[in-house]
Amino acid sequence: MRLENLRLLHFRNYEQLEVPLQHDITIFYGDNAQGKTNLLEGIYVAARGFSFRTRHEEELPQFGAEDWAAQLDYRDRYGENRLLVKRYRERGRRRKENLLNGTAVSPKEQYGLVNLVLFTPDDLQLVKGDPSLRRKFLNMEIAQTSPVYYDLLAKYNRVLLQRNKFLKQCRDREHLEEAQLSVWDVALSQLAAGIVDARLQALSGIREAAQKVYDGITGTHGALQLSYVQKQSGGEVPLETTPGREEWVSFYQEQFKARHRLDYLRGYTSIGPHRDDLEIVHQGRSLKAYGSQGQQRTAALALKLSELEFIRGVRDEYPVLLLDDVLSELDAHRREKLLGFINGTVQTFLTVNDRQLAPVSGDVAAWQVREGRLEAEA
Ligand code: ATP
Ligand code: MG
């Protein structure tokens, strides 16, 4: 996958921008608050149709503007494509257009078009933060290559919401209707089984790739361990392999049934893929509890970079890598290893304050970002 060109119109602090992207490495450097992250966000929004920074689309148009657009030209195995994301007002009504080569695409279709891996300083939370962030990581990683998983997840969330709503209704009426609840159990256990099975299958590939990256950057050997942790009646159980989808269906049906009373009292579903976690361990110790900031950052980076190999395994081509502000956060040794790792393998876009920290050799283009304008490096 190669990105070739980006155009932004009234997007964040860019009035109007066109920038060629076809080099192996493109560097955006400059002082704080000049528009470096905005630019990566522009690439991301054109590719995906939504931002990684905010769920509020009204933050994206340039201050004072309403209409905005982001357009990305890219090349995949099948040829050249153009994605255009456009928001405007027509006869007083807001219009949204997401177009692939001029034809409307749904969010689900768009999600898998341009495979991107993004790493930002916030991704440190992948190791330090809530389980929900690690679930989201797994979900996004798998959904990028599997529309089936994308659907499963959407359906699961919908049915889960309905089951929870039903539990609350029962609680309000002070009467548990077990027969009706069992109907929800059946639907939910099918979907839960599909999700856990897919996650465990995917994890076997992710685990290996993440270990390789981590060892490569830190010079360790097999130091990073990832395990899928499932909430069960007896507590949290780490899982290595999947017994298969059918086994998971029966497992969840039994578990849901056994928890009718508990779920009724709590008013929500107490077990399922929505409560599982990914445990990240460095040489036998939880990185969340014991890791240094640098170790946690490197592990988060390894997890994210594992997506590169994972996606290549499924898609037969590497995704594109966006690295926001990563270089200054690593020590010189790790930085060098990271740059050695990406150079020549994947097309990379990176932002940095200090130009000196980013690479100079190879097929590199560098742009200085100043107040929403780009200047080619002298
Ligand atoms: P840093 O090195 O600190 O990360 P950066 O170059 O990545 O800086 P950005 O986050 O890309 O900076 O840009 C931040 C600037 O963009 C801020 O000055 C902010 O006020 C401005 N900005 C954010 N949203 C909009 C918008 N909708 N319209 C115009 N300007 C905006
Ligand atoms: Mg920034």
Side-chain angles (χ1 to χ4, degrees):
M1 172 114 359
R2 299 285 291 197
L3 306 189
E4 302 200 312
N5 196 66
L6 175 74
R7 291 180 67 183
L8 298 175
L9 186 69
H10 301 303
F11 181 88
R12 294 285 192 187
N13 67 338
Y14 291 93
E15 165 91 40
Q16 207 169 12
L17 171 87
E18 172 152 12
V19 56
L21 304 175
Q22 68 273 51
H23 296 274
D24 284 350
I25 298 183
T26 304
I27 300 160
F28 300 108
Y29 65 98
D31 293 341
N32 294 135
Q34 301 303 309
K36 302 183 296 298
T37 305
N38 290 347
L39 213 124
L40 294 189
E41 186 185 28
I43 295 176
Y44 192 99
V45 167
R48 290 272 166 88
F50 59 90
S51 170
F52 60 84
R53 279 175 136 182
T54 178
R55 284 185 291 135
H56 304 288
E57 216 174 67
E58 66 278 7
E59 292 172 15
L60 302 181
Q62 194 178 22
F63 298 148
E66 272 194 46
D67 301 356
W68 61 271
Q71 175 180 291
L72 182 67
D73 294 328
Y74 70 97
R75 173 189 287 281
D76 61 14
R77 284 190 296 154
Y78 308 105
E80 301 228 17
N81 296 287
R82 170 167 290 178
L83 266 170
L84 173 61
V85 171
K86 210 168 143 185
R87 301 289 181 262
Y88 56 99
R89 220 171 234 284
E90 199 178 55
R91 285 188 230 107
R93 298 184 59 188
R94 274 185 197 290
R95 308 264 305 187
K96 283 185 162 200
E97 284 192 307
N98 291 32
L99 307 172
L100 173 65
N101 303 323
T103 309
V105 278
S106 70
K108 178 175 135 191
E109 287 163 338
Q110 186 165 6
Y111 199 75
L113 288 176
V114 181
N115 291 126
L116 295 174
V117 173
L118 163 78
F119 191 82
T120 78
D122 288 344
D123 285 315
L124 186 55
Q125 292 302 321
L126 204 52
V127 176
K128 282 173 69 166
D130 278 11
S132 64
L133 295 169
R134 289 180 288 280
R135 287 193 295 269
K136 186 173 163 204
F137 161 75
L138 274 180
N139 288 341
M140 288 182 75
E141 179 149 356
I142 305 169
Q144 259 203 74
T145 54
S146 166
V148 173
Y149 188 82
Y150 187 104
D151 275 341
L152 260 177
L153 209 59
K155 283 188 194 143
Y156 180 81
N157 289 332
R158 211 157 46 230
V159 174
L160 180 67
L161 211 69
Q162 287 167 323
R163 189 179 188 268
N164 288 345
K165 207 164 129 193
F166 183 70
L167 285 164
K168 285 194 193 84
Q169 282 169 0
C170 289
R171 202 173 57 176
D172 291 345
R173 291 192 219 118
E174 296 181 17
H175 174 64
L176 173 60
E177 284 178 53
E178 294 224 42
Q180 178 60 37
L181 189 55
S182 300
V183 175
W184 290 120
D185 292 356
V186 173
L188 199 61
S189 52
Q190 292 286 344
L191 299 164
I195 290 172
V196 170
D197 187 44
R199 282 185 185 168
L200 284 165
Q201 281 187 38
L203 196 62
S204 60
I206 293 168
R207 182 182 285 130
E208 213 174 294
Q211 273 174 351
K212 225 169 87 184
V213 178
Y214 191 82
D215 284 343
I217 296 177
T218 58
T220 48
H221 199 79
L224 186 74
Q225 260 105 43
L226 299 177
S227 42
Y228 190 83
V229 186
Q230 189 182 48
K231 248 200 155 97
Q232 293 188 359
S233 318
E236 296 194 330
V237 180
L239 301 173
E240 289 294 320
T241 50
T242 176
R245 196 161 171 152
E246 285 315 306
E247 280 75 7
W248 284 125
V249 175
S250 346
F251 169 83
Y252 280 114
Q253 270 192 11
E254 279 164 30
Q255 289 280 333
F256 290 147
K257 191 165 167 50
R259 287 164 179 253
H260 273 186
R261 195 87 218 148
L262 180 73
D263 288 359
Y264 163 70
L265 292 171
R266 290 185 177 175
Y268 65 83
T269 305
S270 59
I271 188 170
H274 63 289
R275 309 218 55 204
D276 296 343
D277 197 359
L278 186 64
E279 195 178 41
I280 307 165
V281 166
H282 172 92
Q283 291 177 334
R285 291 216 167 80
S286 155
L287 264 180
K288 184 177 182 172
Y290 300 108
S292 78
Q293 184 99 334
Q295 280 176 326
Q296 291 175 339
R297 183 167 291 111
T298 309
L301 192 58
L303 268 181
K304 278 293 184 126
L305 297 185
S306 75
E307 289 189 55
L308 300 174
E309 291 298 333
F310 177 76
I311 290 169
R312 191 185 65 142
V314 183
R315 280 286 159 91
D316 233 21
E317 61 181 349
Y318 275 111
V320 165
L321 181 62
L322 309 179
L323 295 176
D324 190 23
D325 242 349
V326 175
L327 298 178
S328 56
E329 312 250 8
L330 296 172
D331 64 36
H333 180 75
R334 290 184 182 200
R335 189 160 59 235
E336 204 172 294
K337 292 283 183 197
L338 170 67
L339 292 173
F341 176 80
I342 55 178
N343 210 345
T345 348
V346 283
Q347 195 188 17
T348 305
F349 300 88
L350 55 88
T351 71
V352 67
N353 288 131
D354 179 359
R355 172 70 183 92
Q356 308 295 328
L357 298 182
V360 280
S361 62
D363 180 25
V364 172
W367 301 89
Q368 181 164 21
V369 184
R370 206 180 285 153
E371 294 179 9
R373 282 171 216 270
L374 302 190
E375 267 169 57
E377 183 180 36

